[in-house]
Amino acid sequence: MSDTPVVRVVNLVKIYQTGGLPVPAVRGVDLTVEAGEFVAITGPSGSGKSTLVHMIGGLDTRSSGEIWLEGRRADTLSESGWAVLRREQIGFVFQFFNLVGNMTVADNVELPALLGGASPRHARERREYLLGELGLADRADAAPAQLSGGEQQRVALARALANQPRLLLADEPTGNLDSRNTRDVLRLLGRVHRQGQTIVLVTHDARVASMADRVVSLLDGQIVDDGAIPRVRRRPAGGAGDVVELRS
Amino acid sequence: MPRSAELRWIRADLRARRGQAGLTVLAVAGIVTALIVAATLLEGGTNPWRGLFERGHGAHIWIHSKDVPDVSALRGLPGVTDVAGPYRSAPATLATGGRRVPITLRETPAAFTSVARPLPREGRWLDPRAPDGVVVERSFARALGLRPGSPFTVTGLNGATHRLTVAGLAESGDQGFYPEWTPGLAWTLGQTLDVVEPAPGRTEAVTGLRLADPADTDLVVQRAVFTLRNQVQRVTTWREVRASMELDDRLLGLLLALFGVAGLVAAALALANAAGGRVLTQLRDIATLKSLGFTRGQVVRMLLAEHGTLGLLGIALGVLAARLVTAYAMGETVAVPLSAGPLAAIVAGTALAVLVAVLVPAWRGGRVPPLPAAPAAPPRGRLSRLARVALLVRLPPALVLGARDAFTRRTPAALTACGVALPMMLITIGLGCWATLDDFGRHPESVGQAAALSIRPGDMTAEEARQRVMADPDVVAAYPGAELDALVPWQTRTVRTRALGLSSDPYPFPVVEGRMFADRGEAVAGQGLLDLLGVRVGDRVRMTIGGTPLIVRIVGRVIEPEQDGEVLSFGLDSLAAKDALPPGFYALVLRPGADAAQVRARLQEQGLEVTRAVNPAERLAVVRVIIVALVVVLALIGLANLLTASALGLRDHVLDLAVLKAMGLTPRQVTATLVTAAGLPAAVGVVAGAAAGAFWSRALIDLEGRGSGVGAGIGRAPTPGMLAAALLIAIGAASLVALIPARRAARARVPVTAR
Ligand SMILES: Nc1ncnc2c1ncn2[C@@H]1O[C@H](COP(=O)(O)OP(=O)(O)OP(=O)(O)O)[C@@H](O)[C@H]1O
Ligand SMILES: [Mg+2]
């Protein structure tokens, strides 16, 4: 792991114009995420959490400020520049899973690899591996609508990890799940994190946030608290046998 | 560029909506088929030569020589694939019903030949057991009123007269139509020819050459003339034959172009609606794709490829279907497929329409922001105050809820209305064309054909002829007339002038602008002539007729269906006496309700040469076929649009349904609500489209009339009955189409969503 931070944002501002009225959603955020870090972003509803991660992933444009990914300036990229960057370096998991409805589970997971230029055979192998790891190998040919919420979110996670992104952005990935499914998804996130995956996770839920190395609290678009969580408070890790190689 | 991701998505999407994709392909294919069949019919109708020549395996070159030529030398010429004949041929004079007309008798074998084969149309072919039966070329027979079984006499060069009978009528791509091509032709057996023309020196030999490539015609003619030295008397080629058959009808062409454009608009509409509706339902998926790293360009390309492929597939299928239809279903009427030029125009035109139609939704899809949207809005369980009041006063709740829905969700309602209104407008314009054609047929006087018949005196004097026709009980008036070509300064060609009636008693021309001529030196003209000379009503025109200068003032514009409107009409008294007397023909106005064919037969028996006016509606008959085909296709497109719209509406309604049912509406009431919600905008669209169509059709047809030289003033709006029927059928069909998905939705279990 190099010394350059995976994410560095400097004085990031986002102001929406709604009906001529400026609505500041993010007001001058400075944030650095080192490689391998697991950062949780919390805060009350409307505090700008989603807006912040959307800007980091290039889904939304910034009003001012800088975004550096892997030491490269990203906020000046064009829309398609961002798209190419996303497909190679960023994986997204959303609250509503956002699987492509008319594609099978297998197609959904293979899509990013194909988009990244992998051969169909390689994409298939990668998909088989990921779905196997997430316990969904037998659902490969199902349509997303046939899966439960937890299963859908696990597929979405497999899809986000398909291209071995440097950065995984998750916006309330458990916001729509019951507690059992929440536990499953969090266990998976913990597993990929232990293998070195850099994760930025948005959540309301203090218990979810407690899984992270570091919790950033937002209020009214500004960081009000940024602190590492002491190791002891972290959720006890599973046994050594629990570690599964998710990065081929 | 990694295309496989795009292909994967396209494949998945097409698989998920096989039915809709199939419908789209069929709609485009239907339009292309209709256009190609129409163009094929038109080509065959305006230029029958191609079909006749192809079927009869005609000869491109005919060589008339004194003696039998060296056939093997001709056959050996490069480019010649086959030889017809040589056949002996002799001139004679035909006499029937008191008229004498030159005719060519041509020997032909009783068995059909492989090259230059006449195509029997009526009656029987030549039979050696009945040698006085001959087969007469059809257009010639028609002009003379000959039918199978009619007797007639021919007089040979030696003056001897022989009685022959018409065994049958035939057409041929080797003989032009009478009277453009004279003399008329009759095919006879060799033995019959020997009887009429016993002197061998008075017959000539005609030999036909069929070529591998028609473009070689001139070269082969030169070589043949050289090979046969001084024997050749004259040569005719396929070009002259074709020219004698071609019907140059600008109005027909323009009307067809109008329908072609309507068809293309319809194709574009069908695709735009299918693609647009699809993209609208997919915005969320597209946003997801973009969050995965699809660029805007990739999304646009992907959508273009998917929907464009469907369109192109439809075009290919349409071309194929048109080939099959013309070859099998219409094998009798259509001899040759559409030639390359119009076919290419249709294919390129639809391809362009497809591209434009798909571009807009694709561009819209490309602009979708990558932000993940939450799934469709949660149900709003509250009713407007208006709706609650309506429920209280016990209006049918379904109606109230449906209407509320139609007017609160304005964009989808507007889309539905437009998707129905456009096809409806085009259908109404088609009905307007139909009404116009009907009007041509029902009121021929309004297109300048007050006279159903015209006669030429022939052998008798003009006065004698006039007395004979006026004696007929069905003839109301006989206007003396003369048709002459006039030289106009600055024009390289002549224009047709028609002197008909007298200034004091003018023929009832349909004057639509200005007034009828009422004095010597006044004239009325068709739009085509005004355009040709660049003059307007009120201007003076100077011309030379038969060497005599004539100055006329154009006082009015008439509807002029002949000669593309390039005709000037005035009273016979405006002409110099040498040109006016005796009148060349009489135009006969018949008693209303009289049967022109019967009157014609009676007059022909009296030895008069009678021609029947050909109504433009007859020449435009092909347009009716096209109108029907287009109305069907347009109706299907309108319904498909509606189906897309109501499917889109239902998708947004799934959650509202729960509320409606929770409020205690029965399934039937839910169905009625949904049908009202989809049907109301559709009905608005139907009415608006019909109104726009009725408003525009007249102007549009008049525009066509003007462009074709016939002149504005022919357009008719659809009759109220037609319009009412169209409206009722359209609204009924729309409700039915809205009913299908609504019933299914109302019956379905209300989905319990976790969202
Ligand atoms: N597209 C938009 N247009 C205008 N204002 C917006 C838009 N998106 C978000 N906002 C506003 O920006 C602010 C921050 O929104 P954001 O979605 O980032 O909050 P959040 O912290 O993610 O909230 P939640 O926990 O509810 O998801 C809110 O006040 C919101 O109303
Ligand atoms: Mg949020």
Side-chain angles (χ1 to χ4, degrees):
Chain A
M1 269 167 226
S2 61
D3 290 343
T4 41
V6 175
V7 182
R8 188 162 73 85
V9 304
V10 181
N11 198 16
L12 198 59
V13 174
K14 174 73 187 182
I15 299 171
Y16 289 108
Q17 295 289 340
T18 37
L21 275 177
V23 179
V26 172
R27 304 193 290 182
V29 165
D30 296 301
L31 179 70
T32 304
V33 180
E34 300 294 341
E37 241 187 329
F38 185 165
V39 177
I41 298 178
T42 61
S45 187
S47 55
K49 308 181 294 291
S50 298
T51 308
L52 177 61
V53 292
H54 287 166
M55 284 193 291
I56 294 176
L59 299 187
D60 212 343
T61 52
R62 78 199 184 327
S63 299
S64 68
E66 293 171 15
I67 303 170
W68 297 75
L69 294 177
E70 294 279 322
R72 269 175 49 208
R73 179 107 188 235
D75 55 277
T76 49
L77 286 174
S78 67
E79 192 196 310
S80 58
W82 265 114
V84 173
L85 185 85
R86 263 200 307 276
R87 73 169 77 130
E88 286 163 358
Q89 303 200 5
I90 301 174
F92 264 108
V93 182
F94 301 107
Q95 180 178 357
F96 295 106
F97 328 132
N98 290 65
L99 298 178
V100 180
N102 54 29
M103 295 180 112
T104 61
V105 165
D107 277 344
N108 263 287
V109 179
E110 285 180 32
L111 204 56
L114 292 173
L115 193 60
S119 70
R121 197 175 62 88
H122 180 257
R124 197 183 64 235
E125 285 168 3
R126 178 82 185 144
R127 179 260 299 175
E128 282 168 354
Y129 169 77
L130 283 168
L131 288 184
E133 287 301 313
L134 300 181
L136 289 166
D138 54 334
R139 309 309 304 268
D141 293 324
Q146 296 170 323
L147 303 184
S148 73
E151 285 172 321
Q152 289 193 42
Q153 195 60 299
R154 279 187 278 157
V155 174
L157 190 59
R159 186 180 65 185
L161 295 173
N163 276 354
Q164 295 163 286
R166 293 287 292 144
L167 175 64
L168 181 66
L169 295 172
D171 189 357
E172 315 222 19
T174 59
N176 230 2
L177 298 178
D178 59 21
S179 58
R180 216 192 96 239
N181 279 314
T182 300
R183 215 172 47 235
D184 284 352
V185 168
L186 289 179
R187 191 180 297 145
L188 285 167
L189 280 176
R191 218 160 74 187
V192 296
H193 169 52
R194 281 194 297 281
Q195 286 144 29
Q197 177 70 56
T198 313
I199 301 176
V200 173
L201 175 133
V202 170
T203 181
H204 271 99
D205 189 338
R207 277 180 312 153
V208 175
S210 68
M211 272 196 54
D213 301 328
R214 182 180 148 200
V215 178
V216 174
S217 298
L218 276 186
L219 184 64
D220 286 342
Q222 283 172 320
I223 296 182
V224 290
D225 187 26
D226 184 350
I229 298 176
R231 283 216 156 256
V232 281
R233 276 192 56 205
R234 278 179 61 193
R235 201 185 138 271
D242 200 24
V243 178
V244 180
E245 176 56 39
L246 261 177
R247 319 199 61 183
S248 60
Chain B
M1 263 284 146
R3 291 281 165 89
S4 45
E6 295 161 43
L7 289 179
R8 189 68 67 93
W9 188 83
I10 291 173
R11 210 181 57 194
D13 190 46
L14 286 179
R15 199 178 294 157
R17 54 169 192 128
R18 279 192 213 112
Q20 202 208 9
L23 266 182
T24 309
V25 173
L26 284 185
V28 176
I31 291 162
V32 172
T33 310
L35 285 180
I36 294 181
V37 169
T40 312
L41 283 177
L42 177 76
E43 199 177 46
T46 50
N47 183 4
W49 175 81
R50 249 161 62 87
L52 292 174
F53 192 82
E54 209 54 46
R55 284 197 183 174
H57 216 64
H60 294 93
I61 299 171
W62 286 94
I63 296 168
H64 299 246
S65 55
K66 199 72 211 136
D67 305 309
V68 175
D70 182 355
V71 175
S72 58
L74 288 176
R75 198 183 290 275
L77 287 176
V80 174
T81 57
D82 223 331
V83 175
Y87 304 121
R88 280 185 302 137
S89 143
T93 306
L94 177 148
T96 176
R99 274 192 298 154
R100 303 173 63 78
V101 183
I103 182 176
T104 303
L105 301 178
R106 180 183 297 175
E107 165 200 11
T108 206
F112 284 114
T113 51
S114 65
V115 187
R117 175 173 62 228
L119 304 165
R121 291 295 188 225
E122 280 172 56
R124 288 175 296 111
W125 184 242
L126 297 175
D127 184 352
R129 284 166 299 176
D132 60 349
V134 302
V135 173
V136 183
E137 196 276 322
R138 190 164 68 164
S139 62
F140 183 50
R142 289 238 169 112
L144 299 181
L146 293 176
R147 294 215 185 88
S150 306
F152 63 94
T153 58
V154 290
T155 312
L157 285 183
N158 59 7
T161 298
H162 309 270
R163 283 194 72 80
L164 297 175
T165 7
V166 180
L169 308 184
E171 283 186 296
S172 165
D174 298 300
Q175 167 82 12
F177 288 158
Y178 188 83
E180 284 80 12
W181 191 273
T182 48
L185 181 70
W187 291 275
T188 70
L189 292 168
Q191 56 197 98
T192 319
L193 194 68
D194 287 338
V195 174
V196 178
E197 189 53 75
R202 285 186 181 152
T203 60
E204 60 176 10
V206 287
T207 314
L209 306 181
R210 187 168 168 88
L211 308 185
D213 180 2
D216 293 341
T217 302
D218 292 340
L219 200 68
V220 177
V221 167
Q222 281 177 21
R223 293 217 174 111
V225 169
F226 180 76
T227 309
L228 300 181
R229 308 283 160 177
N230 304 329
Q231 293 178 47
V232 176
Q233 292 187 313
R234 98 196 138 88
V235 177
T236 60
T237 69
W238 60 276
R239 290 202 191 94
E240 290 121 54
V241 180
R242 188 181 64 177
S244 81
M245 292 186 179
E246 253 169 6
L247 180 71
D248 179 28
D249 202 316
R250 270 204 281 171
L251 183 59
L252 187 54
L254 278 173
L255 275 178
L256 208 79
L258 172 72
F259 286 119
V261 171
L264 293 187
V265 170
L269 203 66
L271 257 165
N273 194 273
R278 188 66 189 164
V279 169
L280 273 184
T281 61
Q282 280 174 332
L283 295 182
R284 206 165 108 81
D285 280 352
I286 293 172
T288 303
L289 293 181
K290 288 185 106 180
S291 77
L292 291 179
F294 275 75
T295 60
R296 179 187 291 207
Q298 275 177 307
V299 171
V300 171
R301 197 165 64 197
M302 201 165 69
L303 293 173
L304 269 184
E306 179 183 351
H307 298 283
T309 307
L310 293 183
L312 295 184
L313 206 67
I315 294 177
L317 202 70
V319 171
L320 192 77
R323 274 281 146 95
L324 293 179
V325 166
T326 47
Y328 295 104
M330 312 177 79
E332 275 305 298
T333 31
V334 179
V336 271
L338 189 62
S339 46
L343 184 68
I346 290 173
V347 168
T350 20
L352 198 72
V354 161
L355 196 74
V356 170
V358 169
L359 211 58
V360 177
W363 179 78
R364 170 80 182 81
R367 271 175 27 114
V368 171
L371 286 170
R380 275 161 289 123
R382 291 206 353 258
L383 288 178
S384 68
R385 196 179 310 152
L386 183 74
R388 260 178 291 165
V389 169
L391 281 178
L392 276 179
V393 301
R394 315 196 69 151
L395 274 175
L399 219 63
V400 179
L401 292 174
R404 173 192 81 119
D405 199 78
F407 293 109
T408 45
R409 301 176 336 114
R410 296 225 177 105
T411 318
L415 280 179
T416 311
C418 282
V420 176
L422 253 153
M424 191 65 200
M425 185 179 95
L426 295 175
I427 287 176
T428 313
I429 291 175
L431 293 180
C433 289
W434 188 281
T436 303
L437 289 184
D438 273 354
D439 200 60
F440 281 2
R442 213 171 298 136
H443 301 288
E445 69 276 6
S446 66
V447 282
Q449 295 191 334
L453 299 175
S454 71
I455 56 137
R456 289 180 187 280
D459 289 342
M460 52 192 103
T461 67
E463 188 48 33
E464 214 175 352
R466 202 185 77 83
Q467 276 166 4
R468 277 199 201 181
V469 297
M470 287 311 289
D472 192 285
D474 279 342
V475 177
V476 173
Y479 294 95
E483 278 191 349
L484 297 159
D485 287 336
L487 265 171
V488 182
W490 321 118
Q491 291 291 323
T492 49
R493 61 197 192 109
T494 57
V495 299
R496 175 72 64 87
T497 62
R498 185 201 288 134
L500 191 54
L502 302 170
S503 300
S504 52
D505 176 23
Y507 174 83
F509 287 108
V511 180
V512 284
E513 200 186 321
R515 60 172 175 84
M516 176 66 89
F517 57 83
D519 206 345
R520 291 186 55 180
E522 288 184 344
V524 290
Q527 182 72 47
L529 187 96
L530 298 180
D531 291 345
L532 181 75
L533 303 183
V535 295
R536 273 180 297 173
V537 172
D539 288 353
R540 278 179 194 285
V541 183
R542 211 194 124 84
M543 64 190 83
T544 318
I545 297 176
T548 317
L550 176 70
I551 298 176
V552 293
R553 205 163 79 85
I554 299 178
V555 295
R557 179 171 72 76
V558 295
I559 301 286
E560 181 56 74
E562 276 174 44
Q563 306 270 330
D564 291 332
E566 293 171 359
V567 183
L568 186 73
S569 306
F570 41 74
L572 205 57
D573 46 347
S574 291
L575 281 180
K578 69 169 171 60
D579 294 323
L581 294 172
F585 65 92
Y586 282 96
L588 308 185
V589 177
L590 304 186
R591 187 175 56 78
D595 181 354
Q598 277 180 12
V599 179
R600 179 184 181 189
R602 277 203 299 272
L603 294 178
Q604 270 174 339
E605 275 166 25
Q606 306 224 14
L608 292 157
E609 192 180 327
V610 192
T611 41
R612 198 168 72 81
V614 179
N615 193 288
E618 289 172 39
R619 279 180 288 153
L620 299 175
V622 63
V623 167
R624 295 193 191 246
V625 180
I626 299 159
I627 292 176
V628 171
L630 258 162
V631 164
V632 169
V633 174
L634 284 167
L636 286 179
I637 287 170
L639 294 180
N641 287 352
L642 192 60
L643 208 58
T644 315
S646 58
L648 254 174
L650 276 183
R651 190 189 53 116
D652 298 343
H653 264 110
V654 173
L655 295 164
D656 291 348
L657 283 182
V659 177
L660 290 180
K661 286 185 178 173
M663 276 173 21
L665 263 65
T666 63
R668 182 174 296 189
Q669 283 173 315
V670 173
T671 308
T673 307
L674 294 177
V675 169
T676 313
L680 213 61
V684 169
V686 165
V687 173
F695 182 74
W696 281 106
S697 67
R698 240 187 120 144
L700 215 57
I701 298 166
D702 272 342
L703 202 68
E704 301 273 302
R706 197 196 151 100
S708 68
V710 175
I714 51 174
R716 294 285 174 277
T719 60
M722 243 183 207
L723 207 58
L727 277 174
L728 281 180
I729 293 173
I731 292 180
S735 316
L736 274 181
V737 162
L739 190 64
I740 302 164
R743 265 173 71 108
R744 200 181 304 154
R747 294 265 171 84
R749 201 170 53 84
V750 177
V752 185
T753 51
R755 289 166 184 175

